[in-house]
Amino acid sequence: MIPKFLNWRRKANATNPKPESESEPEPEPEPEPKPTETIMKPMSAGITKAGEGMEGIKWNILGQIYVPKQHCEDSFSWHATFPQGTFVPPHIHPTQDEFIYMLEGRLDLILDGEKSHAEPGDTIRLPRGIPHGLFNHSEAHAKCVFWVAPAQRLYDLFWALHNLGPEADPADVVAVSAQHEVDFLPPPDEA
């Protein structure tokens, strides 16, 4: 049942239908997705319960646990657990803005060459094109919620990295990530 205050649009369209000459053209068929691409669906309403991921998914991304919470074309979010000593090396998302809301623990970060850190309640803002890296140097797990906008191919990247295993060759991680619009930076020169 549609509430009365939302029903005005239906009434207006019913009383003022478009003439045949103004009807919208048939939409072009969607291109077939590549075998490694997820078909984007509109975001569905609902609740993803604590400790659960969409469709029961839980990824191990190089020792970190990522649990997807929401995914559509416009955005993608996941809960992340960074065990002690784990990290994401400096990288760039050329086509996405990324955000992290800290729940527990501490993450050290490098943001555009500057060192900083985030603790519970802090929000980390990572604009597209800005290099950033995340490190758990603490004695405890760090937990946070990530989200990116737009989603682009990050969901597919996480499947690919999960499938490489927690002990993946760094060269494979860099190559697969580049195919999914995430560019890792070379390690700093050891002086």
Side-chain angles (χ1 to χ4, degrees), residues 94-157:
T95 60
Q96 299 172 298
D97 295 320
E98 184 174 22
F99 307 87
I100 306 166
Y101 182 78
M102 293 297 300
L103 300 171
E104 295 177 21
R106 172 186 164 127
L107 285 177
D108 295 311
L109 59 134
I110 297 175
L111 177 56
D112 204 14
E114 299 292 321
K115 291 183 178 181
S116 189
H117 70 275
E119 296 176 331
D122 293 344
T123 300
I124 303 168
R125 298 178 318 277
L126 307 165
R128 66 188 73 197
I130 301 296
H132 57 278
L134 306 164
F135 307 85
N136 182 357
H137 293 256
S138 74
E139 299 294 320
H141 284 13
K143 294 184 178 185
C144 48
V145 175
F146 282 74
W147 66 100
V148 293
Q152 301 297 63
R153 301 195 59 216
L154 202 57
Y155 182 89
D156 296 326
L157 172 61

Side-chain angles (χ1 to χ4, degrees), residues 53-89:
M54 299 169 4
E55 301 173 13
I57 299 168
K58 185 182 284 189
W59 295 303
N60 183 329
I61 308 292
L62 305 173
Q64 300 153 26
I65 304 302
Y66 290 179
V67 180
K69 296 295 187 174
Q70 174 276 327
H71 182 229
C72 67
E73 185 174 355
D74 295 324
S75 63
F76 170 42
S77 66
W78 65 98
H79 180 277
T81 301
F82 282 70
Q84 174 186 354
T86 60
F87 62 96
V88 178

Side-chain angles (χ1 to χ4, degrees), residues 141-184:
H141 284 13
K143 294 184 178 185
C144 48
V145 175
F146 282 74
W147 66 100
V148 293
Q152 301 297 63
R153 301 195 59 216
L154 202 57
Y155 182 89
D156 296 326
L157 172 61
F158 289 168
W159 271 118
L161 293 177
H162 173 77
N163 290 336
L164 287 177
E167 302 296 324
D169 181 316
D172 292 339
V173 172
V174 169
V176 168
S177 297
Q179 295 168 359
H180 293 84
E181 301 177 329
V182 174
D183 301 319
F184 281 95

